[in-house]
Amino acid sequence: MTAAHPSAPAAQPAAAPSAPASTAKLWGGRFSEGTDALVEAFSESVSFDQRLWRQDIAGSTAHARMLGKVGVLKADDVEAIVAGLASIRAEIEAGRFEWQLALEDVHMNIESRLTALIGDAGKRLHTARSRNDQVATDIRLYVRDAIDELVAVIEELAEALLDLAEREADSIMPGFTHMQVAQPVTFGHHMLAWREQVLRDRARLLDARRRTNVLPLGSAALAGTVYPIDRPFVAEQLGFDSVSENSLDAVSDRDFAIEFVAACAMTMLHLSRWSEELILWCTPMFGFVKLPDRYCTGSSIMPQKKNPDVPELVRGKTGRVVGDLNTLLVLMKGQPLAYNRDNQEDKPPIFDAHDTVSASLRLFAAMLPSVEVQRATCRAAAFKGYSTATDLADYLVKKGLPFRDAHHAVGSAVGHAVAKGCDLSELSLEELRGFSPLITADVFEVLTLDGSVNARNHWGGTAPAQVRAAIARARARR
Ligand code: ARG
């Protein structure tokens, strides 16, 4: 088979790659028969890696300019390549590019089209590189851009949480441990807890970005290239912070992608935990919040239903992203140096993790500002669960009782109140004094919900004043 290029296709409306049985391969020189159709279908990646077209064109443009700069390519070849790549970009943007399965991947589809458009100059583009360093470059550019996108959405979400925390700084709800009412907290404090989680997710993404933003191009297939390449020049054009140190490592490892997807999985884990809370909170049994109708759906049979589908799906989709991480970890574990075709399988999990976490974050950022907090219900729930019992124990400690004895005395008082079916604050002073003579009339201040939250008035505590202080610190930091 000769290494002929397919002729320039006319303007196409095509979207999905077409599959002619035996398009000549760009690597076909040493082969005496065409690829088996099953192999072609099995090994193609263009159906999913065409998504890297922007990165591929950017990488090729930078590579061509560099080859011109160092004198490997003539100036008019470079010009033709750069212009040809620009018109391919326009074709793809307009949906006129015909992706061909037989051309395997995004790289060969674009290169083949380039040669169809500009002739021999197109065939010179692949000088001093390999698809191995090309794809490693594309995927690093993709992950870097994905990180920047997710970081921006997380910042939007963190802002929404800050506003919600401010709105609900004084609203009291039960805090839970073991899913049992533990101590009263402010709703604002709870929102700021969520915010801390995504801020760490943001930090993890940015940390992964540092190790992602390193240029592999120039590593060629695995050992480097015989041409006098200028890698820092390419890095600068593509916005990479540095140039990879070792060609074998640069074409083969996908640890940066694993870190990225791990950060995505952690982000989803957080969103999933929030989802679980929201789903509980909007049941009639809790009734802490109302989700806006536009973020819920109904049932085809039960007319009364308003289901919290968004948080349910976020919780469900978390499994996918954890699966994506697992896919990448297992993909990498058996690979000797250097590039192996296994790595082609890195893209679906990377794209899926990115898409899923991006959509989930966007939905939360959009939905949270219109969540209606049912303040009276939250407060009543905190009142019901003896959530100020610890406050009574601390009150007795302040009056000189050892904490263990105070704990025991309050436990007895709670038992008494449970039997009577009332709250601690509803017991009379005489009844309370029956559990400890140290109790005096000022006890009722500490038994109230407001007294309880206001007393936790230190950096990181739940007091409304501290919620406001935390919000002020967050706003000053921006
Ligand atoms: N589609 C391939 C990938 O994603 C490109 C690199 C192929 N390299 C090769 N030597 N076959 O990994």
Side-chain angles (χ1 to χ4, degrees):
M1 183 190 287
T2 57
H5 290 281
S7 58
Q12 307 283 340
S18 60
S22 61
T23 300
K25 301 290 187 250
L26 299 192
W27 40 252
R30 63 103 72 210
F31 288 78
S32 55
E33 61 178 359
T35 312
D36 185 274
L38 285 175
V39 173
E40 204 156 83
F42 186 69
S43 59
E44 68 83 22
S45 56
V46 65
S47 57
F48 51 87
D49 71 12
Q50 59 178 269
R51 188 162 165 174
L52 294 173
W53 65 267
R54 279 191 190 80
Q55 290 78 12
D56 201 66
I57 288 175
S60 289
T61 304
H63 180 68
R65 290 208 166 106
M66 181 278 290
L67 291 179
K69 176 171 182 271
V70 299
V72 170
L73 285 188
K74 290 210 269 333
D76 32 339
D77 280 347
V78 176
E79 254 171 60
I81 289 170
V82 171
L85 288 170
S87 48
I88 291 173
R89 179 188 299 123
E91 286 178 6
I92 298 173
E93 275 169 353
R96 282 189 283 109
F97 190 88
E98 193 202 1
W99 297 101
Q100 294 183 55
L101 281 192
L103 290 170
E104 271 185 39
D105 55 26
V106 60
H107 323 293
M108 293 205 289
N109 267 267
I110 290 176
E111 188 191 320
S112 166
R113 177 69 182 135
L114 182 68
T115 300
L117 284 173
I118 66 169
D120 279 357
K123 296 185 193 169
R124 297 201 174 94
L125 170 61
H126 211 53
T127 313
R129 78 172 181 188
S130 147
R131 275 185 296 156
N132 298 351
D133 58 344
Q134 189 178 355
V135 70
T137 302
D138 291 2
I139 202 78
R140 280 178 185 266
L141 286 172
Y142 180 91
V143 170
R144 181 187 75 190
D145 294 348
I147 288 173
D148 291 343
E149 191 245 330
L150 293 182
V151 163
V153 191
I154 288 179
E155 283 167 3
E156 208 183 297
L157 175 58
E159 276 302 300
L161 286 168
L162 214 51
D163 293 341
L164 189 54
E166 189 163 49
R167 203 174 81 200
E168 306 297 340
D170 298 292
S171 312
I172 289 178
M173 65 180 284
F176 297 89
T177 60
H178 313 266
M179 217 36 227
Q180 304 291 323
V181 171
Q183 291 175 353
V185 295
T186 48
F187 200 96
H189 195 54
H190 200 113
M191 293 301 100
L192 292 183
W194 285 4
R195 184 170 177 275
E196 287 301 309
Q197 297 175 353
V198 274
L199 288 182
R200 287 193 299 275
D201 295 328
R202 173 183 176 277
R204 265 183 283 275
L205 285 166
L206 287 173
D207 191 47
R209 191 188 197 281
R210 293 192 296 124
R211 283 175 293 279
T212 298
N213 203 25
V214 178
L215 174 78
L217 203 64
S219 303
L222 75 164
T225 176
V226 298
Y227 299 94
I229 56 175
D230 183 345
R231 300 186 65 207
F233 178 76
V234 177
E236 202 196 312
Q237 287 183 87
L238 295 172
F240 282 109
D241 296 327
S242 59
V243 166
S244 62
E245 283 293 338
N246 182 292
S247 61
L248 294 167
D249 172 54
V251 292
S252 63
D253 212 332
R254 297 292 182 267
D255 55 357
F256 65 93
I258 296 174
E259 285 189 53
F260 167 65
V261 176
C264 289
M266 189 77 85
T267 308
M268 288 303 292
L269 242 54
H270 286 142
L271 297 185
S272 182
R273 295 180 61 197
W274 307 4
S275 295
E276 177 68 11
E277 291 187 294
L278 285 172
I279 291 163
L280 287 172
W281 290 355
C282 67
T283 60
M285 287 74 95
F286 277 78
F288 289 3
V289 296
K290 280 191 183 150
L291 299 182
D293 281 3
R294 62 186 182 284
Y295 293 107
C296 297
T297 68
S299 156
S300 56
I301 173 169
M302 295 166 283
Q304 85 285 7
K305 291 300 289 290
K306 174 177 161 184
N307 297 325
D309 299 52
V310 168
E312 288 176 280
L313 281 168
V314 167
R315 190 178 57 185
K317 283 170 188 277
T318 300
R320 288 171 56 153
V321 181
V322 172
D324 293 331
L325 173 59
N326 198 45
T327 301
L328 285 180
L329 288 167
V330 179
L331 177 67
M332 207 69 240
K333 77 172 274 297
Q335 289 194 46
L337 289 176
Y339 175 84
N340 300 283
R341 190 67 179 270
D342 314 40
N343 278 340
Q344 179 166 292
E345 290 293 314
D346 63 353
K347 288 153 209 79
I350 292 172
F351 297 155
D352 185 65
H354 175 209
D355 290 343
T356 308
V357 74
S358 169
S360 305
L361 286 167
R362 280 173 196 285
L363 271 163
F364 264 93
M367 184 177 69
L368 281 176
S370 35
V371 165
E372 283 173 49
V373 178
Q374 305 300 296
R375 294 176 187 153
T377 312
C378 289
R379 197 179 171 89
F383 188 71
K384 258 190 290 190
Y386 303 97
S387 61
T388 58
T390 315
D391 296 83
L392 180 55
D394 289 331
Y395 168 90
L396 290 172
V397 168
K398 281 189 194 154
K399 299 235 167 173
L401 205 59
F403 183 79
R404 261 311 138 223
D405 296 338
H407 186 284
H408 188 80
V410 176
S412 309
V414 168
H416 178 71
V418 169
K420 272 191 81 175
C422 68
D423 183 55
L424 284 177
S425 64
E426 291 166 327
L427 296 175
S428 70
L429 183 56
E430 292 71 57
E431 277 173 300
L432 285 168
R433 284 178 62 83
F435 300 98
S436 168
L438 294 171
I439 295 177
T440 53
D442 59 356
V443 72
F444 293 104
E445 285 154 42
V446 309
L447 287 181
T448 65
L449 296 174
D450 298 279
S452 174
V453 294
N454 283 322
R456 284 160 175 79
N457 191 18
H458 54 79
W459 191 302
T462 197
Q466 291 303 327
V467 170
R468 293 204 172 82
I471 293 168
R473 283 195 298 274
R475 295 229 158 101
R477 241 179 266 135
R478 302 191 283 247

